Each structure stands twice: as structure tokens, then as C-alpha cells.
Amino acid sequence: MIVRFRGVRGSIPSPGPHTIRYGGNTTCIEVWTDDGELIILDAGTGIFPLSQTLFDKFPLHAHIFNTHSHWDHIQGLPFFIPLFVPNNQVSIYGAYDPITQNGIQEILTEQLQYRFFPIRECELKSQIHYHSLQPAEAVQIGAATVTAVLMNHPVVNFGYRIDCRGKSLFFTGDHEPCYNIYEPEDDEFSMYQTLIDQRNRGIIDGMHGVDMLIADSSYTTAEYPSKKGWGHGTFESCLEMAEQAGVQQLFHTHHEPTRSDDALEAIFKDALSKRKYDLSEVDLASEGLTIEW
Amino acid sequence: MKTCMEPQTEAVSQENIHQRVSAMVESMPPFPQSVLRLMEMTKDFNCSPKDLVEVIECDPVMTMKILKLVNSAFFSLSRDVVSIQHALVYLGMNTVKNLAISIATIDALPHKTISELPMEKFLTHSLGTAFVAQRLAKDCLHIKDVSDYFIAGLLHGFGKMVFIQLEPASYASVLQQTKDKNCSLVQMEVIHIGISYAEVGAMLAQSWQLPTSLVDCIRTHVDCDADSSDMAISVAAASMVATVMQLGINGEVVMDEFPECIQQRLGCDLKMIIEQMQNLPDEVSKIQSMVRG
Ligand SMILES: [Zn+2]
Ligand SMILES: [Zn+2]
């Protein structure tokens, strides 16, 4: 399995001198399975540089898994070059949205409205397949199985687990661990806690024992209280999740757009010095970083 | 056009009633005060999840519609979602909030209302039943997680709302005759409409894929015996308590004692329960004024 980070930034692309080492593109992860299938996790702006490297692989079949429909995870989709080239196939997977009651196909349709983009959906030359997934649904791609796990974010967000020939990874997308809305003295507190424990256990089970966990670590523990309910994790919550799920290696991602490289390294160092868990391999995701195993 | 209120010259087609009722409920609006309160509350991005749950769960229409969406085939979760708290834990605060807003703002028909069973009074009875059912489950049956008992109490009479919307004039006459003859409402409904409110409510709950325990409770609470579920017993008893205490109106005749099977299961009689429930009118009016904001 080969994993290459193409975009590690949250919210909005953040190019410039202060983000040169970790990169300014929004979320996109390139995965090649051992039998040569291309799986792309999210289509943030990082998908554009990725698409520039694919020309010699045409005709190709790319499988794009969208964690959720926020801008920073779909922004690059209309710029995914293989969409425009005949004989390519692009399969797009993602959640059904219970509020608008739209499936995954609506995302591209909305993005390609003529007012916003010069090429209309019917003018795309590749074959596009859409698959709206249900929580816990698994998809077979060659020798790989990709399983959707319902996470916690303001919109429905799927984490994806990829298993292929004994190797595995899990990407959370955007995720904030569930918390109790009641105070300990409220009648409903323990009932709600039971529900949350069940729910968190389901999430941990979904990523259990993977070789690599890539997780949303937008905030520091100090920043978190003012961002509670916004749907993102902290360095600490990700370390805890990695510990509970017994994963081999953890990558922190979805870096804040205003965070400079120096600041990012400083808070990472600080989080590591305070961690309660002994996980040998922990790192910051950075654009271009490639891991093969 | 045929209606389900025609006299029994022809057998009433269950299928036909089902379709009409389902279509009608889709356009049934939530109660105006919950809509107002909800819109007011959600102007604040950081509105309290606790308050949100409280407003939604006091409105049978909103509750039923949210549970329907969450349990629907499009979004089937690995376990039944039986309460608004449940929905919150699975879908997150923002999704539930936006579901509620979209339900609150649908272009719905206005409520029809009849003087024999005004909607406001009916809502008060439903809330009273919800409170008592929860208390009975906790105090008499020693059940720990009672949130689904609240929902069951709130929704037990949903079928009556459906009749009022569908055929207000005929249902008014059924209610009047029940009162005049001092007989069972369910029997009158079956004679004049061909189907009882319990059956209609259960049919809806079933087609909306609400949990089986809830469907069974809505269907069987009108006809309890020694084999009835704890939930059906609690809701049946709670509805009688609310009726005797004249908390709202439910169109049924006042009983002076629980049926034997209920008394046996709860281990106490109607009078004892009523003595313990002296603060009930206060609690219900407190929650109603909270909903009104
Ligand atoms: Zn994001
Ligand atoms: Zn997001």
C-alpha cells in the first residue's frame, strides 16, 4: 500500500511562506493498493496536483471517497483532470444527506452549474459512477475493501477504513468525539452517557487495529473549549483514539489554515510531551509525504 | 373521491387508508409554538443542545418526522433510533437542528381543529402521558433508560391527530357519540371509521420504520392484558392518569380504576398514582411555557 498526502489543510487553502513545509492545499489523500487500484480520500484542492501525475496511467479508473460535503473536502473535484478525458472511469462515493435528501451525485452537479464553472456535467467525457453509501456499508475495489464508518461532524461524515491484503488504514475525515450535552446532575446524564459510550465504541471498533490512522487534529486542548461543537478533534483526542483502537501509526491532519509551520511544530511537540499514551509512531501529515509498506 | 369515513357499505381498504394517511402526515405541520421557539433558539449558532431536545421532544409531529428520517431506509443505522437524544448522538447536534428547521419551515397545511378535541388540549394530554409513562417506568417498573417511554407517551395518540386532519367533521361526531354513550372511543372508531386511532398510529410508525417496540406500544396500549409489554402498560396507565387529572383532553371517557392487568403489573392502583402525581400539572405547564419561550 502507498499513501501520499496531497492536502493536509482544513477549511481553506493556505499557501504562502508560512505553510511551505506542511503545505497549503485542503484535504486529499492518494492511496494505491497492492493490486494497483487508485483510491482517493477527499477531493480538496490537493486533488489537482495529484491529477497532474496521472496522465501516463490513462485510461484509468479512480475511486474517490468523499468523507463529507464541506468545501475543503470537495473544492478540487471539478479540477480532477481524468474527469475530462474519454475512456477514464471515475467512481464517486459518499453519504446521503438527510437534510436536503440528496445523494452524493448532487455535489458535482451543484459545483458544475454553468454560473460557477465553464464546463457542464454532461460535457465531462469520462464515465462517472455515483454511489451513496450507508453507514457501515463496505465496497470492494479489487482486493481492497473500503468500509464507511459514521463519525461526528455538523454534516454526516464518513470515516473510511481500507483493508487490502493484510494492510489497513483509516481516515477520519472531520471528526469531533461525541460529548455529553447534559450536566452530571441532570436526570438524563447517565442515559445520554450510555448512548455516547456505545457510539464511541462503534467508532473505535471501525478503526480497530489499523496500521495507519489519519485523524482530524484541528485544535489544541487549550483552543478546544471555544470550538466545542464545531466538529473537529484535538491532538489529544486523536492520541487517545489511536491508543484505544490499538493502531500502529498516527498522522495528525486538517491543520488550521492560520497555523504557520513553526506554530504547528511547536503545538505538536507540546502535545507529545503531555501525552499519556505510548504510541511509537506519531507524526504530522505534510503535503507530499509518502509512506509505503 | 372516497374517504375512509364513509359508512361501512363497502369494506374499507386498509391499503387505501394507509396511502392517504401517509401522504397527509407528510404535510402535517408541527405545532406553531414549537416552530416559533425553534426558530428563535436556532438564530444562535451555539444554542444549547439540551434546549433543542426539549423543544423537539414536546412536539409529536416534529418527533415523529425526525425519527422517521433517521430510521428511514436512506439512512438506516445499525440500531433503532428511539429518542431524540438518540438521533442527536448518531447524527450530531447540527444535523438534528437543521432537520428540525427544515420540518418547521416546510410549506405545510395549517392544522385543522375541532372543538371536541382541540389540538392544544390534545398536545397537553400527550405531554402529560409522556411524563407519567416515564415516571411509572422508573418508579413502578424500575426501568433505567426511560427516554423511549417518553416518546411512546408522546406519540400514543398520534392516530387521533391524523383523523382530525383527515376528516374533522366525522371525527367530531365519533367523539361526540363516545361522550354521549359513555363508551369506548376505539370501539366507536372501528364502527364508524373502520379502523382505530391505535391502528392508524401503529401503521404510520411501522411504515416510517420506527422501532418495533414503539409500533407495538402504539397499537396495543388500548387493549392491555397480562402479556402486554411494560411500555404498553405504562402508556395505557399514564393516559388514564392524565385523563382523570383532566390534563388536556383526549376524547376518552374517564375510568375510575386501572384494569386488573395494569394494576397487577404496576403494583398500585389509580388513586395511589394520582396522589403521587400532584406536581404533574405544574411540570407539564412548565415545559409548555419553556416551549413557548
Ligand atoms: Zn474540513
Ligand atoms: Zn467539515
Side-chain angles (χ1 to χ4, degrees), chain A residues 270-291:
Chain A
D270 184 54
L272 286 188
S273 71
K274 289 181 187 147
R275 73 176 150 160
K276 305 175 192 105
Y277 316 106
D278 191 27
L279 184 72
S280 54
E281 295 174 84
V282 190
D283 235 314
L284 292 167
S286 64
E287 217 171 292
L289 178 67
T290 307
I291 298 100

Side-chain angles (χ1 to χ4, degrees), chain A residues 10-11 27 68 70 72-73 153 174 232 254:
Chain A
S11 307
T27 304
H68 67 296
H70 283 158
D72 52 324
H73 301 254
H153 197 55
D174 291 0
H232 298 287
H254 208 270

Side-chain angles (χ1 to χ4, degrees), chain A residues 95-99 101 133-136 150-156 158 178-179 181-183 186-188 191-192 195-196 198-199 228-230, chain B residues 45-46 49-50 53 57 69 72-79 83 85-86 88-96 98-99 102 138 144-147:
Chain A
Y96 165 85
D97 174 33
I99 296 169
Q101 304 189 25
L133 301 176
Q134 303 259 324
L150 181 67
M151 310 296 280
N152 182 47
H153 197 55
V155 291
V156 173
F158 284 149
C178 308
Y179 54 88
I181 61 170
Y182 295 99
E183 303 300 326
D186 291 338
D187 282 352
E188 296 91 344
M191 174 273 296
Y192 201 81
L195 291 174
I196 286 186
Q198 257 167 18
R199 173 91 164 86
K228 197 172 172 180
W230 294 17
Chain B
F45 180 80
N46 293 316
K50 269 197 314 197
V53 169
E57 93 171 341
L69 258 164
S72 69
F74 293 115
F75 208 75
S76 65
L77 294 162
S78 39
R79 49 167 301 165
S83 67
Q85 283 101 339
H86 234 116
L88 204 67
V89 169
Y90 278 87
L91 293 181
M93 158 78 173
N94 287 278
T95 300
V96 171
N98 284 287
L99 276 177
S102 64
K138 213 186 268 175
K144 258 172 119 187
D145 178 2
V146 292
S147 56

Side-chain angles (χ1 to χ4, degrees), chain A:
Chain A
M1 188 128 52
I2 302 172
V3 173
R4 190 173 290 120
F5 293 102
R6 291 292 183 174
V8 296
R9 207 49 71 169
S11 307
I12 189 161
S14 311
H18 301 297
T19 57
I20 230 146
R21 297 201 297 282
Y22 289 89
N25 278 307
T26 57
T27 304
C28 179
I29 304 166
E30 169 187 0
V31 180
W32 292 92
T33 65
D34 283 357
D35 60 341
E37 299 282 356
L38 171 59
I39 296 173
I40 301 169
L41 300 169
D42 276 338
T45 56
I47 205 172
F48 181 65
L50 159 61
S51 69
Q52 301 292 318
T53 68
L54 298 173
F55 296 112
D56 61 349
K57 306 217 164 48
F58 289 177
L60 67 69
H61 188 171
H63 301 269
I64 302 176
F65 285 81
N66 170 251
T67 60
H68 67 296
S69 53
H70 283 158
W71 274 115
D72 52 324
H73 301 254
I74 62 167
Q75 231 155 3
L77 194 56
F79 294 88
F80 186 56
I81 310 297
L83 285 169
F84 303 102
V85 182
N87 300 323
N88 285 331
Q89 293 192 59
V90 181
S91 297
I92 304 176
Y93 308 80
Y96 165 85
D97 174 33
I99 296 169
T100 57
Q101 304 189 25
N102 284 330
I104 185 70
Q105 65 274 16
E106 305 296 324
I107 293 180
L108 197 57
T109 311
E110 299 265 315
Q111 285 181 316
L112 298 185
Q113 288 175 66
Y114 191 70
R115 191 172 175 207
F116 302 138
F117 200 75
I119 300 167
R120 293 170 303 143
E121 197 182 3
C122 65
E123 292 168 329
L124 300 176
K125 296 277 188 292
S126 65
Q127 256 190 62
I128 308 174
H129 317 277
Y130 297 101
H131 306 269
S132 291
L133 301 176
Q134 303 259 324
E137 190 172 342
V139 180
Q140 200 66 36
I141 292 160
T145 309
V146 184
T147 313
V149 176
L150 181 67
M151 310 296 280
N152 182 47
H153 197 55
V155 291
V156 173
N157 179 100
F158 284 149
Y160 291 109
R161 179 187 180 117
I162 306 178
D163 285 282
C164 187
R165 296 186 177 154
K167 296 166 188 173
S168 53
L169 82 82
F170 189 91
F171 174 47
T172 60
D174 291 0
H175 171 66
E176 175 177 14
C178 308
Y179 54 88
N180 204 319
I181 61 170
Y182 295 99
E183 303 300 326
E185 59 271 20
D186 291 338
D187 282 352
E188 296 91 344
F189 182 85
S190 69
M191 174 273 296
Y192 201 81
Q193 193 58 42
T194 312
L195 291 174
I196 286 186
D197 292 345
Q198 257 167 18
R199 173 91 164 86
N200 283 334
R201 213 173 306 127
I203 291 173
I204 296 294
D205 286 351
M207 62 179 75
H208 194 263
V210 290
D211 303 331
M212 183 192 290
L213 168 64
I214 306 165
D216 167 7
S217 320
S218 295
Y219 309 130
T220 64
T221 306
E223 289 163 345
Y224 180 67
S226 61
K227 321 267 184 183
K228 197 172 172 180
W230 294 17
H232 298 287
T234 65
F235 286 84
E236 195 184 329
S237 71
C238 291
L239 283 162
E240 191 179 333
M241 206 159 64
E243 156 83 12
Q244 287 174 355
V247 309
Q248 287 274 319
Q249 185 175 25
L250 166 68
F251 280 101
H252 296 284
T253 191
H254 208 270
H255 309 315
E256 278 283 273
T258 51
R259 194 101 70 201
S260 71
D261 291 334
D262 290 344
L264 186 60
E265 281 170 0
I267 58 170
F268 177 53
K269 209 173 131 199
D270 184 54
L272 286 188
S273 71
K274 289 181 187 147
R275 73 176 150 160
K276 305 175 192 105
Y277 316 106
D278 191 27
L279 184 72
S280 54
E281 295 174 84
V282 190
D283 235 314
L284 292 167
S286 64
E287 217 171 292
L289 178 67
T290 307
I291 298 100
E292 183 171 358
W293 76 103

Side-chain angles (χ1 to χ4, degrees), chain B residues 203-269:
Chain B
M203 204 163 72
L204 266 177
Q206 192 162 30
S207 74
W208 286 358
Q209 297 174 37
L210 302 195
T212 320
S213 55
L214 191 53
V215 175
D216 288 346
C217 173
I218 295 173
R219 177 175 288 126
T220 61
H221 78 275
V222 290
D223 191 18
C224 285
D225 57 31
D227 296 329
S228 294
S229 69
D230 283 341
M231 195 184 270
I233 295 272
S234 306
V235 167
S239 178
M240 286 174 210
V241 171
T243 311
V244 173
M245 293 180 76
Q246 296 182 308
L247 206 55
I249 299 181
N250 71 339
E252 311 208 23
V253 294
V254 179
M255 310 276 255
D256 41 9
E257 187 48 274
F258 288 144
E260 183 60 26
C261 61
I262 294 183
Q263 205 167 323
Q264 286 260 322
R265 184 82 59 91
L266 298 179
C268 46
D269 61 23

